[in-house]
Amino acid sequence: NSFPGAGVLPPLGWQTAGPAAGGVGLSVEELRRDRAAYNDLVLSKMRPQEYVEDIWKAVAEDQELGAVGPVVPLDDAHRAKVLLCRWLTVREEREKGWRTRCVDHETECGLNPATRVTERTANGSLFVLISAILMFLGAGLNPLCWKRDISKAFRRVPIRASDHDLYWFAWLDAGKVWIAGHRGCPFGAVAAVQNWHRCANLLQIAVLVLGGACVEKYVDDFFGCSRDDVLCCGGFLVTILALSLIHI
């Protein structure tokens, strides 16, 4: 299966914060018609970036995952056939030290304005976990809390083939522009947030219904609790189902 990358996205149906605000935006047909102008705008703003070696590393990791296609130098044929966006580097300090995250500037290139959502996403709350812990304690059971973080969650969600031409990214290295096409949803795209939310809902419902386990989620973090004598807790089910259901 794959997910739409632009246009009017289907309703989410579960864990939503109500209808999304309407807007005129841009049509996908207009975006494809004018992509040469958008590409010229994007390329005019290309600048050398720090940590460019991390960009190449991120591309290699995404290629191994199947989320990115071959890297090629920019030529006139690509400028006319695909939509380009700038790949920006953002530095983050984590527990293990600093890391570089690559983010698509999908608003500048027109992709986000050409994507409309019908419902706003909603994330879970710690109150669910607290309520479950209190329920376990009230029943005289010892709750064991767990948490799972889905690695590269957005990147594991495949973009439908008909939208691949809208998901190309570019970066500058040693005075030369390099480009590649996304196959998995990138950070920075409106569709990535909506499509992952749909996948996460599926995982959560599967754990609730098939496993009868307490589980809540916040974007790509799943958490819950179980009896301390249960071997296959909700976290174990999340891990197994994520590997089975979410892939490129």
Side-chain angles (χ1 to χ4, degrees), residues 25-39:
L26 181 72
S27 72
V28 177
E29 292 75 18
E30 291 171 328
L31 182 63
R32 285 195 168 100
R33 183 195 66 197
D34 299 332
R35 62 179 146 202
Y38 281 106
N39 287 341

Side-chain angles (χ1 to χ4, degrees), residues 97-109:
W98 287 90
R99 75 165 185 175
T100 303
R101 169 168 284 185
C102 297
V103 180
D104 286 50
H105 197 334
E106 299 290 11
T107 298
E108 178 182 78
C109 71

Side-chain angles (χ1 to χ4, degrees), residues 231-245:
L231 295 179
C232 297
C233 66
F236 176 82
L237 294 176
V238 167
T239 301
I240 297 300
L241 290 171
L243 291 174
S244 302
L245 300 177

